[in-house]
Amino acid sequence: MQGVVVLTVALSIVILVFLITKLKLNAFISLLLVALGLALALGHSGAEAVQLVLTGFGDTMKSSGIIIVLGVIIGYILEKTGGAEKIAASVLKTVGEKRATLAMCMTGSIVSIPVFSDSAFMILHPIIKNLSRKGKISYMGICLGTITCLCLTHATIPPTPGPIAAASLLGADLGKVILAGIVVATPATLAVYFYSTRVIARKYPACAPGIAEEVKAESQPELWKESVKNPKGYSTMGAYMPIVLPIILIICQSFASNLFPQDHVINHIFGFVGNPVIALLIGVGIVWVLTREYKSSVRMSWIDTAMDSTALVLLITAAGGAYGSVIKSSEIGTILSQAISGLGLPGVILPWFISAALVTATGSTTVALTTAAAVCASFLPSLGISPELCVIAIASGGMCVLHVNSSMFWLVQRLCGFGVEDTLKTMVPVSAVCSFAALATSMLLSFVM
């Protein structure tokens, strides 16, 4: 009987991957169908199956829906008003143009916390191309380094949808997840930088084609042209504030709850302003004030567009919660707990492996993180690690590996004009290096978390 349960759940994952990758079925519909099918296969009645799906869907939406929407609003307004470029300029000024690849890797790691990776790369691409041409820097190296770091923090540091969903499904403290995500992302960013400059740049040393003026006139996407239309603008500090302040507040809330008694005034203060919903709402308030020189109608249209763009992400996230609810109803948690306890593997390995297998198969980090968290939630106690560390292990696996089934692969290939084979030969290993570096740091964190 136990073997049947394990095979049934495993088969549901295979079917999910098949529906998304081979039949090209929408991820939300795929997750919903698989969740219902799995519930029925596990012996639940039709009514029970529907109730399990609705409960999981609702619980996930309740815990992460508002957070995801607010995070996307902050990112979109920064994107439209040139905030990403200001961050890039500040990092470049600090690091220096001679280390332009490092500067863009660092910028990618910062910008993609609030901004979706594909939009962020389109914004940064004109800067990348000019830096490559002026500094005689490998165009392939700086592009692949930037896109990998964009994907890295998008997978590891909330309030992006993937880690938010994983934290919700595993019951993790969001402040601790953010802090652990920063710790893991830092050495992974350096690993990507060294691989991009020492391996990719040596194999593909050519800088970006064209002179700087041609790069600016011909290569800029419309998104870049729109984003720099800033009547009066705001400071570099202003560009950082909507990202940094909510993160600080959420982290403070996590530590306040551990350091002070429950009825202490500091706990009451940070329990409110450090709640992820309130912290991100403060972030939205900051970008609203920063962009006060724009017409209210323009700013409201940005918020409307940002909210529209979150619909599919929210549905996929909540459907992943529904799938997780069905998995939890089975005995697989107990079965795998018994099996894992005898293996003697570090607790972070299995979550990382499940996530890595899913992202390699589906090409979607959000789907991989959500599904992996749903699976791992059923046997988390047997891993011997905290929910927060499990989220980070899953997020680390969400980078391994990016290839032709990832939208980011085709964005880089087409926007930068690289050959498909060359893009494949560089993106696969650099994303693997990033993922393994994050895994190594996660293993070290397991001694303190």
Side-chain angles (χ1 to χ4, degrees):
M1 183 62 184
Q2 290 185 343
V4 173
V5 172
V6 173
L7 286 175
T8 303
V9 175
L11 182 61
S12 74
I13 297 174
V14 173
I15 293 172
L16 176 63
V17 171
F18 177 79
L19 291 175
I20 295 173
T21 59
K22 297 299 181 182
L23 298 187
K24 307 298 181 184
L25 192 62
N26 177 275
F28 166 68
I29 299 297
S30 299
L31 282 163
L32 205 58
L33 289 175
V34 171
L36 286 168
L38 177 60
L40 294 172
L42 290 171
H44 294 287
S45 67
E48 290 172 341
V50 172
Q51 188 56 47
L52 275 172
V53 168
L54 291 177
T55 299
F57 189 96
D59 288 347
T60 305
M61 188 67 79
K62 179 177 67 176
S63 61
S64 60
I66 296 175
I67 299 171
I68 291 173
V69 171
L70 294 176
V72 171
I73 290 173
I74 293 171
Y76 190 78
I77 295 178
L78 287 176
E79 172 188 322
K80 300 300 289 185
T81 56
E85 292 92 327
K86 291 180 184 294
I87 292 171
S90 69
V91 174
L92 189 62
K93 183 178 179 180
T94 302
V95 176
E97 286 196 19
K98 291 183 178 180
R99 297 185 180 87
T101 302
L102 176 60
M104 296 315 298
C105 285
M106 292 171 62
T107 300
S109 295
I110 298 169
V111 169
S112 66
I113 295 174
V115 181
F116 283 124
S117 302
D118 51 357
S119 297
F121 187 74
M122 291 178 69
I123 293 169
L124 296 175
H125 179 249
I127 303 173
I128 293 170
K129 201 163 188 178
N130 272 298
L131 286 173
S132 172
R133 176 64 182 86
K134 290 178 180 178
K136 307 294 183 183
I137 297 166
S138 165
Y139 187 37
M140 180 74 84
I142 193 171
C143 283
L144 269 295
T146 305
I147 196 68
T148 305
C149 289
L150 283 167
C151 294
L152 167 64
T153 46
H154 193 77
T156 55
I157 303 177
T160 50
I164 285 286
S168 171
L169 290 166
L170 291 164
D173 183 295
L174 202 58
K176 293 178 182 177
V177 171
I178 291 173
L179 195 58
I182 293 171
V183 172
V184 165
T186 301
T189 297
L190 294 175
V192 169
Y193 162 66
F194 283 115
Y195 187 87
S196 299
T197 53
R198 306 296 167 84
V199 179
I200 297 177
R202 289 179 180 177
K203 189 173 182 180
Y204 300 93
C207 61
I211 60 174
E213 287 73 19
E214 289 174 344
V215 169
K216 186 174 181 180
E218 298 177 340
S219 309
Q220 292 185 161
E222 290 302 315
L223 185 61
W224 164 267
K225 293 177 182 177
E226 279 189 35
S227 69
V228 294
K229 291 178 181 177
N230 196 341
K232 295 185 180 180
Y234 45 84
S235 67
T236 299
M237 179 65 73
Y240 278 102
M241 283 298 289
I243 305 171
V244 175
L245 185 59
I247 288 176
I248 291 174
L249 290 175
I250 294 170
I251 292 173
C252 286
Q253 184 270 335
S254 297
F255 282 94
S257 62
N258 293 323
L259 295 176
F260 298 96
Q262 189 173 358
D263 58 349
H264 197 282
V265 64
I266 292 179
N267 226 341
H268 285 299
I269 293 172
F270 283 109
F272 178 69
V273 298
N275 181 287
V277 172
I278 302 302
L280 286 165
L281 197 57
I282 291 171
V284 171
I286 292 172
V287 293
W288 184 264
V289 172
L290 289 174
T291 57
R292 60 188 178 277
E293 300 298 335
Y294 290 89
K295 292 181 179 179
S296 293
S297 59
V298 173
R299 291 186 287 171
M300 286 305 300
S301 71
W302 290 339
I303 292 177
D304 290 342
T305 303
M307 292 175 66
D308 289 343
S309 71
T310 63
L312 183 58
V313 174
L314 288 173
L315 289 172
I316 292 173
T317 301
Y323 180 47
S325 177
V326 175
I327 292 175
K328 287 179 184 178
S329 72
S330 71
E331 299 175 359
I332 192 168
T334 303
I335 297 168
L336 290 178
S337 296
Q338 295 171 352
I340 292 168
S341 61
L343 293 177
L345 292 174
V348 297
I349 295 293
L350 189 56
W352 175 88
F353 178 78
I354 294 172
S355 180
L358 285 166
V359 78
T360 301
T362 65
S364 170
T365 299
T366 301
V367 171
L369 267 62
T370 304
T371 307
V375 173
C376 291
S378 63
F379 57 85
L380 177 61
S382 66
L383 294 175
I385 58 175
S386 66
E388 294 78 22
L389 188 56
C390 189
V391 172
I392 295 302
I394 290 171
S396 300
M399 287 296 302
C400 186
V401 292
L402 303 178
H403 58 99
V404 292
N405 64 354
S406 169
S407 61
M408 301 307 296
F409 176 92
W410 297 108
L411 173 66
V412 173
Q413 189 269 325
R414 290 168 181 165
L415 188 61
C416 301
F418 301 141
V420 173
E421 185 178 350
D422 289 336
T423 309
L424 190 63
K425 287 180 178 179
T426 50
M427 182 168 280
V428 168
V430 74
S431 60
V433 165
C434 181
S435 182
F436 279 105
L439 172 63
T441 309
S442 300
M443 292 177 71
L444 292 176
L445 280 178
S446 66
F447 292 105
V448 296
M449 288 187 72

